[in-house]
Amino acid sequence: MLVSRIMRTPVTTITPDTSVRAAAALMAELDLGVLPVCVHGRPIGILTDRDIVIRWVPNAVADSSIGPIMTPGIVTCCADQTVEQAAYLMSDRRLRRLVVVDIAGKIVGIVTLGDIANDASEELAGQTLGEIVEEP
């Protein structure tokens, strides 16, 4: 099965200039724990609710852009990869979600361990999660 069959679309994205408060409000409104950070449709990082809590809240004096607190160097997969390849990448990089890009590198979706469990294979998702949470 291909990633394109189970990925979530459309994907709500933000830019590095988005304010932390605006990003947090968007996450709350859409009930999301992650927002890909894009420039011209290409992912450059990812902002998680954990990034906000760990990197911004302890030092927050005023609202600022998410650029300094986002996780850079985003890991992506392609829509035409197999779910097994995506799961291997998740386990290898210890990630619970992957941004899906097209051949030009533009974001087209997002795939999570939950998507794999619900729409492809609970066994594969369980094995992948086990490898993610295993001590290095």
Side-chain angles (χ1 to χ4, degrees):
M1 178 179 291
L2 298 180
V3 169
S4 61
R5 302 269 323 256
I6 68 168
M7 69 184 187
R8 296 171 188 221
T9 61
V11 179
T12 301
T13 64
I14 56 176
T15 69
D17 298 328
T18 303
S19 77
V20 175
R21 290 178 198 264
L26 188 58
M27 288 174 151
E29 177 186 335
L30 300 175
D31 192 28
L32 299 172
V34 62
L35 289 169
V37 182
C38 296
V39 173
H40 305 296
R42 290 184 173 79
I44 62 160
I46 199 156
L47 179 72
T48 66
D49 46 9
R50 181 172 166 78
D51 290 331
I52 294 170
V53 171
I54 301 298
R55 296 182 184 153
W56 183 72
V57 169
N59 304 311
V61 175
D63 198 11
S64 60
S65 69
I66 59 97
I69 67 166
M70 72 178 193
T71 301
I74 190 167
V75 178
T76 63
C77 70
C78 295
D80 62 354
Q81 286 182 285
T82 66
V83 172
E84 291 80 9
Q85 289 170 318
Y88 174 78
L89 186 56
M90 287 176 171
S91 65
D92 185 54
R93 299 298 294 270
R94 304 177 81 95
L95 302 168
R96 296 173 192 247
R97 60 185 70 84
L98 291 171
V99 170
V100 184
V101 295
D102 64 15
I103 192 87
K106 293 204 174 191
I107 192 167
V108 294
I110 194 162
V111 65
T112 68
L113 274 178
D115 298 328
I116 293 172
N118 292 332
D119 301 326
S121 168
E122 284 184 29
E123 183 179 348
L124 178 61
Q127 289 171 349
T128 303
L129 179 60
E131 292 172 11
I132 290 170
V133 299
E134 192 174 89
E135 290 294 321

